[in-house]
Amino acid sequence: MSISPDANKPASDQALFDVERIRRDFPLLTATVHGRPLVYFDNAATSQKPSVVIEAERHYYQTENANVHRGVHALSERATAEYEEVRRLVARFLNAESEREIIFVRGATEAINLVASSFGRMAVKAGDEILVTAMEHHSNIVPWQLLCGEKGATLRVVPMNDAGEVLLDEYERLLTPKTRLVALAHVSNALGTVNPVRRMIEAAHRSGIPVLLDGAQAVPHLRVDVRELDCDFYVLSSHKLFGPTGVGVLYGRERLLDAMPPYQGGGDMIRSVTFEKTTFNELPYKFEAGTPNIAGTIAFGEAIRYVSALPWPAVMAHEDALLREATIALGTINGTRIIGTAAEKVGVLSFLMDGIHPHDIGTILDQYGVAVRTGHHCAQPVMDRYGIPATARASFAFYNTREEISVFADALKRVKEVFG
Amino acid sequence: MADLQALYQEIILDHNKNPRNFRVLPDADRVVDAYNPLCGDHYTLYVRLDGDRIADVTFQGSGCAISKASASVMSTVLKGKSIADAQKIFEVFHQLVRGEFKGERDLEHLGKIAAFAGVSEFPTRVKCAILAWHAVRGAVSANEQTVTTE
């Protein structure tokens, strides 16, 4: 994932990956914006959806709609079977040991809140510490702040260098007998940094500290194997992985999930209820109160099938090429500065232009059909670290093209012209 | 790109590059923060009153071209106006950037604030244009210390 040219990459990778054919799977990519072809570079915010995903939602409501885990009737059985099949798909996708370790939630944010609430109630007390990094999304900061506030625990932050790389010496120094959990981004949404999570998990485990990885920005770009990473929790959002909004996954090591108290109470998560006592359902249902997003989950299954069928080495080579090309293109425009220059990064390009506010960059790019995110990217502490209020961010997916990078670069030149 | 020219008018680009009254006002009667948490635009506005007149308006801070130019133009427009007249100008400005101005089609008489009419074509930028105005309006009519456009 380095942005320097990699001589070891097989030349055939590019040939294996037919981006034009891939693009035909994503209907919205043919849209026009302000009379120009859409150049969708806001993939870190949410990804576009392939037709198979869109069709799966429609198909479910049209032919299968029923509640899951309830009726004995045919529709309910079919809906349950499909819903549970997605759990098996996700378990295979992440290489979890068992589908009991796969909890469906609304998104990565809810998954982190689930762990903060449930693991926090079980394992965190006054004087304890939770460790996060300086590059976390607000969703991997605020749930821990709430927990720490409630318990009298302390949130500690691992600093990073100017390139946007975690300082590993500092990290190891911050792992203390008081640390109850490490929660960190696998990939940073604002900087694109791929953290050395394997090494960081090893270090935490040497002290018996469990690790949660926020994989929301990682799964669209990397293949993830939770057993190889040896992480204790892994969270992701369907909508950043070419699936629908409102669906996410918490992977948790079975031993931990078993010991943790329920998150929300309600239907589905119980075995029996009386007014005196409730016994809870087994994993994974213990953590799934209420009717879930059935249609969304089934459509998410299609997204997983879709990405699993992609030629991944070629996908990653293509994304590397896009990042490399965009980085070079930006470098040719005077007065631009890239925020986040880690040696290991994915296709996220946060940047500034001298004397031009990111908000104005975003408005002008939009007039040329180019969709980028501007602002603090729900990572205000990252902005504070660099002493800036905001950045413009172009983030790529495998369906983006080198031609789109040229449109982007030309539009950036227009930004310069407007502001003289 | 007629739309872009409508948004980034010469006056706006000029006031963004060379903001007027861009300084702290040591003897201000009102000091108010204007902050848009969505994009990080953040200004401090200083108002000196002389009875029911606005004797001086200055500002400091950072943000996008629209918010900065808007604060700058406002500072030049409100200086010397009575609070009652200022309230009327606030109202016209609000209508203008929201595309709700019902006055004459000829905006000449509105002076520099007419340059902001193009903002109405960019709904996501209306908040940028209003930020500083909203803050000063709050400052002269009440005792608000921080104003956001959320």
Side-chain angles (χ1 to χ4, degrees):
Chain A
M1 291 272 90
S2 151
I3 60 162
S4 56
D6 185 350
N8 297 325
K9 251 169 216 145
S12 60
D13 278 356
Q14 288 292 335
L16 271 173
F17 187 72
D18 182 352
V19 68
E20 288 309 323
R21 209 190 67 206
I22 293 281
R23 288 177 70 81
R24 287 199 286 276
D25 296 333
F26 292 81
L28 196 47
L29 293 181
T30 61
T32 55
V33 170
H34 304 303
R36 308 206 173 214
L38 168 67
V39 173
Y40 188 75
F41 281 176
D42 196 15
N43 293 286
T46 196
S47 60
Q48 297 302 339
K49 321 304 176 197
S51 301
V52 284
V53 167
I54 300 164
E55 173 59 22
E57 284 229 24
R58 194 198 60 79
H59 183 262
Y60 169 77
Y61 282 123
Q62 201 155 312
T63 68
E64 293 168 344
N65 177 50
N67 212 330
V68 291
H69 308 137
R70 282 160 177 79
V72 294
H73 59 82
L75 282 182
S76 174
E77 263 176 41
R78 202 187 308 163
T80 303
E82 289 217 16
Y83 182 79
E84 290 303 322
E85 177 58 24
V86 178
R87 200 188 302 277
R88 279 187 288 278
L89 268 177
V90 172
R92 270 205 301 282
F93 181 71
L94 296 175
N95 196 30
E97 214 165 297
S98 138
E99 63 254 33
R100 287 189 302 281
E101 298 179 317
I102 304 299
I103 315 292
F104 287 127
V105 288
R106 278 184 301 151
T109 296
E110 187 177 36
I112 296 171
N113 277 278
L114 190 162
V115 177
S117 158
S118 170
F119 177 84
R121 249 184 296 153
M122 175 179 83
V124 179
K125 57 183 192 317
D128 286 348
E129 295 178 358
I130 304 287
L131 194 52
V132 298
T133 79
M135 69 181 83
E136 301 308 319
H137 187 281
H138 294 165
S139 60
N140 202 27
I141 300 173
V142 184
W144 307 115
Q145 283 175 332
L146 291 171
L147 173 66
C148 289
E150 223 169 85
K151 298 285 187 179
T154 306
L155 187 66
R156 297 262 177 236
V157 183
V158 188
M160 60 182 174
N161 62 21
D162 288 340
E165 296 164 319
V166 162
L167 299 177
L168 288 172
D169 291 350
E170 292 289 312
Y171 169 65
E172 299 210 8
R173 206 177 51 75
L174 284 163
L175 292 169
T176 74
K178 291 178 182 172
T179 314
R180 287 293 152 266
L181 184 84
V182 176
L184 79 143
H186 190 174
V187 167
S188 153
N189 75 310
L191 304 170
T193 308
V194 182
N195 278 316
V197 291
R198 188 74 199 79
R199 216 180 131 182
M200 293 174 79
I201 291 167
E202 259 175 36
H205 283 180
R206 277 200 294 277
S207 311
I209 302 162
V211 178
L212 176 145
L213 291 185
D214 172 1
Q217 299 291 340
V219 284
H221 304 289
L222 313 170
R223 291 306 78 209
V224 170
D225 180 332
V226 291
R227 273 190 281 179
E228 198 243 312
L229 291 171
D230 200 28
C231 59
D232 302 277
F233 299 103
Y234 199 92
V235 308
L236 61 91
S237 287
S238 151
H239 76 95
K240 294 195 199 287
L241 188 59
F242 315 99
T245 53
V247 178
V249 170
L250 166 66
Y251 157 82
R253 213 184 273 282
E254 187 165 353
R255 178 175 54 76
L256 280 169
L257 292 179
D258 245 343
M260 282 157 54
Y263 169 50
Q264 293 176 330
D268 236 16
M269 56 77 72
I270 48 85
R271 183 167 285 141
S272 76
V273 176
T274 68
F275 283 113
E276 288 69 41
K277 185 176 168 54
T278 292
T279 54
F280 303 115
N281 207 335
E282 60 186 358
L283 286 176
Y285 312 108
K286 180 171 88 176
F287 291 108
E288 294 181 5
T291 297
N293 184 347
I294 305 167
T297 304
I298 290 171
F300 176 46
E302 288 306 317
I304 290 183
R305 286 192 181 95
Y306 185 89
V307 295
S308 299
L310 292 171
W312 269 92
V315 165
M316 287 162 77
H318 174 71
E319 288 192 16
D320 264 1
L322 290 176
L323 176 62
R324 196 158 52 237
E325 202 143 311
T327 304
I328 291 167
L330 211 60
T332 64
I333 299 167
N334 279 338
T336 57
R337 176 182 158 207
I338 293 172
I339 303 293
T341 49
E344 295 293 320
K345 63 180 282 193
V346 296
V348 170
L349 203 61
S350 260
F351 64 96
L352 301 172
M353 294 175 92
D354 266 353
I356 309 175
H357 193 276
H359 215 156
D360 296 308
I361 299 173
T363 291
I364 296 173
L365 292 185
D366 180 57
Q367 290 296 307
Y368 288 89
V370 182
V372 298
R373 169 92 185 259
T374 64
H376 52 56
H377 316 295
C378 299
Q380 283 181 350
V382 173
M383 300 298 117
D384 293 344
R385 165 66 178 71
Y386 288 95
I388 53 179
T391 72
R393 180 189 68 188
S395 54
F396 313 118
F398 53 73
Y399 46 58
N400 289 125
T401 68
R402 304 170 94 139
E403 292 72 35
E404 289 180 313
I405 304 274
S406 322
V407 174
F408 167 65
D410 287 346
L412 284 177
K413 286 174 194 146
R414 283 290 298 137
V415 174
K416 293 267 292 183
E417 284 167 29
V418 168
F419 281 87
Chain B
M1 288 290 119
D3 289 355
L4 273 184
Q5 277 158 17
L7 181 64
Y8 295 108
Q9 301 235 344
E10 276 307 319
I11 289 176
I12 292 178
L13 293 172
D14 172 42
H15 277 257
N16 173 52
K17 213 170 200 173
N18 307 297
R20 320 296 198 268
N21 304 308
F22 193 65
R23 61 175 195 275
V24 175
L25 193 58
D27 54 349
D29 299 296
R30 300 274 197 276
V31 178
V32 64
D33 251 4
Y35 178 51
N36 183 348
L38 209 65
C39 55
D41 290 354
H42 198 171
Y43 300 98
T44 305
L45 292 117
Y46 304 86
V47 182
R48 189 160 56 80
L49 296 172
D50 177 12
D52 64 351
R53 304 196 84 77
I54 296 174
D56 208 354
V57 182
T58 70
F59 74 109
Q60 286 268 280
S62 71
C64 66
I66 304 301
S67 64
K68 186 179 270 182
S70 174
S72 172
V73 166
M74 177 187 70
S75 72
T76 64
V77 168
L78 293 187
K79 203 169 177 171
K81 295 280 188 305
S82 71
I83 290 176
D85 280 350
Q87 296 288 5
K88 281 179 205 150
I89 300 170
F90 289 143
E91 203 44 55
V92 169
F93 186 81
H94 268 235
Q95 290 172 4
L96 202 62
V97 296
R98 288 179 191 280
E100 292 161 359
F101 184 65
K102 297 282 190 289
E104 308 84 66
R105 215 170 288 165
D106 177 15
L107 300 177
E108 280 287 297
H109 72 285
L110 294 177
K112 279 175 285 191
I113 70 169
F116 291 88
V119 173
S120 65
E121 299 296 318
F122 295 80
T124 59
R125 306 307 300 274
V126 170
K127 281 183 180 180
C128 311
I130 285 179
L131 185 64
W133 291 78
H134 189 52
V136 167
R137 182 180 217 174
V140 298
S141 49
N143 292 318
E144 290 181 50
Q145 291 306 302
T146 296
V147 173
T148 77
T149 53
E150 284 309 282

